[in-house]
């Protein structure tokens, strides 16, 4: 089985780290990188995703603003450098919360939850 992944991340270094970590899990296919809330919402209007890695602080809003637009019930994993978003993340039904920078071992734990 393969999983279509949307990565909502505006920071290039964080994007590269997640992309590298995903490369160890070939069943997870990175379909799109969105750098903003609007770009993510535009993508999910026309595409199905199984997994969303979601940064919170984006140029045009909070990553949480993307969640209501996600069709189906994709697994959402929050990626952020700010721990104070954890409570809000879990209130929004996310599967996991990863604090940046994410270690490969911790990334694997999140992937295994899917």
């Amino acid at each position: 089985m393969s999983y279509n992944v949307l990565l909502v991340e505006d920071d290039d270094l964080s994007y590269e780290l997640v992309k590298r970590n995903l490369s160890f899990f070939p069943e997870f296919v990175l379909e799109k990188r969105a750098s903003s809330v609007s770009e993510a919402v535009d993508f999910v209007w026309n595409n199905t995703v199984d997994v969303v890695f979601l940064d919170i602080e984006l140029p045009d809003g909070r990553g949480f603003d993307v969640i209501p637009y996600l069709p189906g019930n994709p697994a959402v994993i929050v990626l952020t450098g700010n721990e104070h978003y954890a409570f809000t993340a879990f209130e929004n039904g996310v599967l996991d919360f990863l604090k940046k920078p994410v270690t490969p071992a911790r990334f694997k734990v999140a992937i295994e939850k899917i």
Side-chain angles (χ1 to χ4, degrees):
M1 177 174 190
S2 67
Y3 300 92
N4 295 327
V5 177
L6 168 62
L7 173 54
V8 184
E9 176 60 70
D10 63 326
D11 179 72
D12 290 337
L13 180 58
S14 295
Y15 163 73
E16 290 298 331
L17 289 172
V18 172
K19 184 177 164 184
R20 181 176 170 271
N21 281 322
L22 276 173
S23 72
F24 294 104
F25 303 93
E27 66 274 22
F28 289 82
V29 179
L30 181 58
E31 294 291 332
K32 172 75 173 167
R33 174 199 182 179
S35 298
S36 66
V37 170
S38 59
E39 188 179 357
V41 170
D42 286 347
F43 182 77
V44 298
W45 275 107
N46 299 307
N47 299 277
T48 302
V49 294
D50 303 304
V51 181
V52 179
F53 286 93
L54 187 63
D55 186 17
I56 299 303
E57 296 178 354
L58 297 163
D60 61 345
R62 299 274 186 233
F64 296 126
D65 298 334
V66 174
I67 293 174
Y69 295 97
L70 296 173
N73 192 23
V76 177
I77 298 173
V78 166
L79 298 160
T80 186
N82 296 313
E83 293 173 346
H84 68 271
Y85 290 121
F87 182 76
T88 304
F90 288 111
E91 277 189 322
N92 279 278
V94 305
L95 180 65
D96 206 349
F97 184 94
L98 300 176
K99 185 170 182 314
K100 295 176 188 175
V102 180
T103 65
R106 183 62 182 90
F107 189 86
K108 183 178 185 229
V109 169
I111 288 291
E112 289 173 346
K113 288 182 179 183
I114 298 169

